[in-house]
Amino acid sequence: MNEDSILRVEGLSTQFSTDHGLVKAVDGVSFELRRGETLGIVGESGSGKSVTNLSVLRLIQSPPGIIASGSVLFQGKDLLAASEEEVRVLRGRNISMIFQDPLTSLNPVLKVSTQIAEAIQLHHGLGRKEAKAKAVAMMKLIGIPDAERRADDYPHQFSGGMRQRVMIAMALSCDPDVLIADEPTTALDVTIQAQILELIKSMSARNKTSVILITHDLGVVAGMCDTVCVMYAGRIVERAPVDDLFEKPAHPYTQGLLDSIPRADRSGPERLYSIPGSPPNLIDMPDACPFAPRCARVMDICTKAAPPETALDEEGKRTVRCWLHSMESTNE
């Protein structure tokens, strides 16, 4: 494990039992998060982004879900082999998560200050009065106006953007080493979106927090991330530094995602590109490239065998799962 690494996921596989068969939602995912780094995980809905990170925190409901294999090393300790009590202590204090929908993630019958203070009391052992004072201080820090008065309000009394700020205050209240932000700006308007992302960025820089940002918005990735993992059908199909990914995408799926972004430098009436077809059914996946039915550069081998992970540089910072590059590597 790299000395600069704080979190390392190796060969993670998560499955769900259904009436129709076994769904391989996450299939052999591996990545590394360095201290102070922001790692983006992108892909279409259903690609396995959220399930991957819920698995990291062991928040998969069982049944029907099960973490079938792999390891999650946090500061050298395997969370998947740890006891439930050990993981519970780490949640919130060392690894925190901002969930997608703050309205359903917040308890509607508890005051927001009570919900923020709960984690502070649990992990720092403060009394109720001291914990509430710190909760109010966190609300001020993340930009909620008139925090002393609003602390006694309930979630339904806050706007969508302010509820998301409350979620960020909860996640950062214990100064975690790793922050997982699961599409933190979904359903927010662009102005509030920019404010929330800037808030996460500034808080990360201030506390030297490592961030995993789950999103389907490549524009957000470009402005926030250092490294990007592109997921498709439960697998990471490309991993690269953010500048390299945008400058020269290696996987046809990544190229398709980039081509789907509206661009201001294009002139004239031009139809926005859309990747043809739909993501595959994750039940009984064939031993082939899962993107082959939608790929414009598909070859015969793509329909017969799944491509291995291929390093595109000597340091291993850029990897791709595509026969186009695997065959080039073999030929060399």
Side-chain angles (χ1 to χ4, degrees), residues 49-57 59 91-100 105 164 167-168 170-172 176 178-183 212 214:
K49 306 184 300 296
S50 296
V51 175
T52 295
N53 289 278
L54 288 173
S55 300
V56 167
L57 286 172
L59 292 175
R91 291 191 198 114
R93 188 180 71 178
N94 299 99
I95 306 176
S96 288
M97 188 166 185
I98 304 170
F99 295 93
Q100 281 191 38
S105 300
Q164 195 63 280
M167 291 292 294
I168 295 172
M170 290 175 64
L172 296 175
V178 176
L179 174 66
I180 301 173
D182 189 355
E183 301 197 26
I212 298 176
I214 305 168

Side-chain angles (χ1 to χ4, degrees), residues 141 200-209:
L141 189 62
I200 293 174
K201 196 172 186 177
S202 62
M203 294 294 284
S204 171
R206 173 177 176 166
N207 300 327
K208 300 189 184 305
T209 305

Side-chain angles (χ1 to χ4, degrees), residues 48-80:
K49 306 184 300 296
S50 296
V51 175
T52 295
N53 289 278
L54 288 173
S55 300
V56 167
L57 286 172
R58 278 177 47 180
L59 292 175
I60 298 296
Q61 184 175 348
S62 178
I66 182 172
I67 300 175
S69 63
S71 62
V72 177
L73 301 173
F74 173 71
Q75 295 181 337
K77 183 179 183 62
D78 188 357
L79 302 186
L80 301 188

Side-chain angles (χ1 to χ4, degrees), residues 137-171:
M138 284 299 302
M139 291 175 68
K140 290 180 180 178
L141 189 62
I142 53 108
I144 295 179
D146 198 8
E148 289 88 350
R149 182 180 64 82
R150 300 303 307 271
D152 291 326
D153 285 347
Y154 293 87
H156 73 272
Q157 295 175 280
F158 284 74
S159 66
M162 287 300 166
R163 282 195 294 266
Q164 195 63 280
R165 288 174 185 265
V166 171
M167 291 292 294
I168 295 172
M170 290 175 64

Side-chain angles (χ1 to χ4, degrees), residues 3-305:
E3 290 183 3
D4 197 34
S5 174
I6 191 169
L7 182 71
R8 186 179 182 90
V9 176
E10 296 180 341
L12 181 66
S13 294
T14 303
Q15 303 170 351
F16 293 89
S17 296
T18 71
D19 294 338
H20 303 287
L22 195 65
V23 176
K24 295 182 179 180
V26 177
D27 189 7
V29 164
S30 300
F31 63 84
E32 187 174 28
L33 179 68
R34 300 188 302 274
R35 297 179 189 276
E37 178 186 29
T38 298
L39 172 70
I41 301 181
V42 302
E44 293 170 291
S45 296
S47 61
K49 306 184 300 296
S50 296
V51 175
T52 295
N53 289 278
L54 288 173
S55 300
V56 167
L57 286 172
R58 278 177 47 180
L59 292 175
I60 298 296
Q61 184 175 348
S62 178
I66 182 172
I67 300 175
S69 63
S71 62
V72 177
L73 301 173
F74 173 71
Q75 295 181 337
K77 183 179 183 62
D78 188 357
L79 302 186
L80 301 188
S83 67
E84 180 58 37
E85 177 63 22
E86 288 175 311
V87 176
R88 187 188 66 80
V89 170
L90 287 173
R91 291 191 198 114
R93 188 180 71 178
N94 299 99
I95 306 176
S96 288
M97 188 166 185
I98 304 170
F99 295 93
Q100 281 191 38
D101 186 357
L103 188 58
T104 57
S105 300
L106 293 169
N107 191 322
V109 299
L110 292 179
K111 298 173 182 177
V112 294
S113 61
T114 301
Q115 299 186 58
I116 298 172
E118 183 179 20
I120 299 171
Q121 287 180 275
L122 177 65
H123 294 298
H124 289 295
L126 298 181
R128 184 177 299 179
K129 187 175 181 180
E130 293 85 355
K132 182 176 180 180
K134 184 168 183 181
V136 172
M138 284 299 302
M139 291 175 68
K140 290 180 180 178
L141 189 62
I142 53 108
I144 295 179
D146 198 8
E148 289 88 350
R149 182 180 64 82
R150 300 303 307 271
D152 291 326
D153 285 347
Y154 293 87
H156 73 272
Q157 295 175 280
F158 284 74
S159 66
M162 287 300 166
R163 282 195 294 266
Q164 195 63 280
R165 288 174 185 265
V166 171
M167 291 292 294
I168 295 172
M170 290 175 64
L172 296 175
S173 61
C174 295
D175 299 322
D177 300 299
V178 176
L179 174 66
I180 301 173
D182 189 355
E183 301 197 26
T185 57
T186 298
L188 300 179
D189 64 64
V190 291
T191 302
I192 301 300
Q193 179 187 74
Q195 292 175 359
I196 295 296
L197 292 174
E198 185 57 38
L199 179 60
I200 293 174
K201 196 172 186 177
S202 62
M203 294 294 284
S204 171
R206 173 177 176 166
N207 300 327
K208 300 189 184 305
T209 305
S210 302
V211 179
I212 298 176
L213 179 63
I214 305 168
T215 183
H216 58 268
D217 189 336
L218 285 168
V220 170
V221 168
M224 290 283 294
C225 299
D226 303 303
T227 306
V228 189
C229 293
V230 180
M231 287 195 71
Y232 186 78
R235 304 171 186 173
I236 292 178
V237 295
E238 183 169 0
R239 182 177 70 246
V242 64
D243 291 340
D244 295 342
L245 186 95
F246 278 83
E247 183 179 340
K248 192 176 181 181
H251 199 283
Y253 177 61
T254 309
Q255 183 65 62
L257 292 177
L258 292 172
D259 289 342
S260 302
I261 302 174
R263 292 178 53 173
D265 59 351
R266 290 175 179 166
S267 59
E270 183 179 344
R271 181 179 290 274
L272 192 63
Y273 177 77
S274 175
I275 301 174
S278 301
N281 186 343
L282 297 181
I283 298 176
D284 297 326
M285 286 277 289
D287 187 18
C289 175
F291 189 62
R294 308 175 69 187
C295 184
R297 304 179 67 185
V298 63
M299 301 179 292
D300 186 52
I301 193 173
C302 302
T303 62
K304 296 179 179 178

